[in-house]
Amino acid sequence: MKMTIEELKINNFDFLETLSQQYLLANGSFIDINLSLTQIIDDFNTLSGTRPKLRSLGIYTLISLKNIYITLNQESCLKIVDQYIHGIGWHDLQYICFLDIQHSNIYIHIIFNRVTLQGQLLDIRCLGANWQQYEILRQSCSLIIENPVHNKYLQRRFCNCCS
């Protein structure tokens, strides 16, 4: 499996509109994803508005997982996302996640608000995935892919529950 992580600063949250038209809105944190897209964008802007001089309001992260040898569903992908975000320490940020699940490729689009609920700010100088982030992503994927529940090959090989 080939993994890539791209991180870019964004100046506003209008990009959510584009993502919502192309991909499945799958999850969010500190945001109600059942709201209308306009309300979601307003919630992001409200939190960012607590830092009025802020220019780059958010971070767009694209995680690409290519040549996956098993089929992962939305639930499995969200577990990978959750473990990755906690692993890099961004779990205190407001975010929204979109998924593009294809046969052997998965694309995870995450928009993070740089402002925490406590009004602290994530420094954009940290953008650009480093080897630790790739290791966290690799471990997050391994926990899901190597789990017999998600991998039919491993179910047949290691489980007594399947014939």
Side-chain angles (χ1 to χ4, degrees):
M1 173 173 58
K2 180 180 179 187
M3 297 183 261
T4 58
I5 304 169
E6 296 176 58
E7 296 175 336
L8 305 167
K9 64 181 180 177
I10 56 174
N11 295 328
N12 59 56
F13 297 108
D14 295 340
F15 189 52
L16 289 170
E17 181 79 39
T18 304
L19 292 174
S20 71
Q21 293 172 0
Q22 298 175 10
Y23 308 113
L24 171 69
L25 173 56
N27 199 11
S29 180
F30 304 115
I31 194 90
D32 182 357
I33 63 169
N34 297 311
L35 296 173
S36 72
L37 191 60
T38 304
Q39 290 173 304
I40 290 172
I41 292 171
D42 286 346
D43 283 354
F44 270 84
N45 285 325
T46 299
L47 184 55
S48 290
T50 62
R51 302 293 293 259
K53 294 182 181 180
L54 189 62
R55 288 187 187 173
S56 299
L57 303 181
I59 297 169
Y60 169 56
T61 301
L62 173 59
I63 297 173
S64 302
L65 307 173
K66 296 181 179 179
N67 303 320
I68 301 173
Y69 59 92
I70 66 168
T71 302
L72 294 177
N73 61 18
Q74 179 179 341
E75 180 185 348
S76 301
C77 293
L78 289 177
K79 286 180 182 178
I80 291 170
V81 169
D82 186 58
Q83 290 171 8
Y84 174 74
I85 290 173
H86 275 80
I88 64 172
W90 288 9
H91 56 278
D92 60 342
L93 295 176
Q94 181 184 50
Y95 71 85
I96 194 163
C97 174
F98 296 88
L99 297 176
D100 180 12
I101 302 172
Q102 300 174 6
H103 178 66
S104 62
N105 301 319
I106 295 172
Y107 301 94
I108 302 166
H109 305 264
I110 310 170
I111 301 292
F112 291 97
N113 196 330
R114 287 185 53 209
V115 180
T116 69
L117 296 177
Q118 295 77 27
Q120 296 174 335
L121 190 61
L122 182 70
D123 190 349
I124 56 173
R125 288 181 287 183
C126 71
L127 291 186
N130 57 34
W131 69 268
Q132 290 104 332
Q133 286 174 262
Y134 277 96
E135 181 59 20
I136 291 166
L137 180 59
R138 188 196 63 74
Q139 289 174 3
S140 300
C141 290
S142 293
L143 288 171
I144 300 302
I145 291 172
E146 294 172 7
N147 184 337
V149 169
H150 306 292
N151 189 330
K152 292 187 186 336
Y153 169 74
L154 292 176
Q155 281 178 353
R156 288 191 301 269
R157 189 164 174 204
F158 298 113
C159 256
N160 294 330
C161 59
C162 303
S163 11

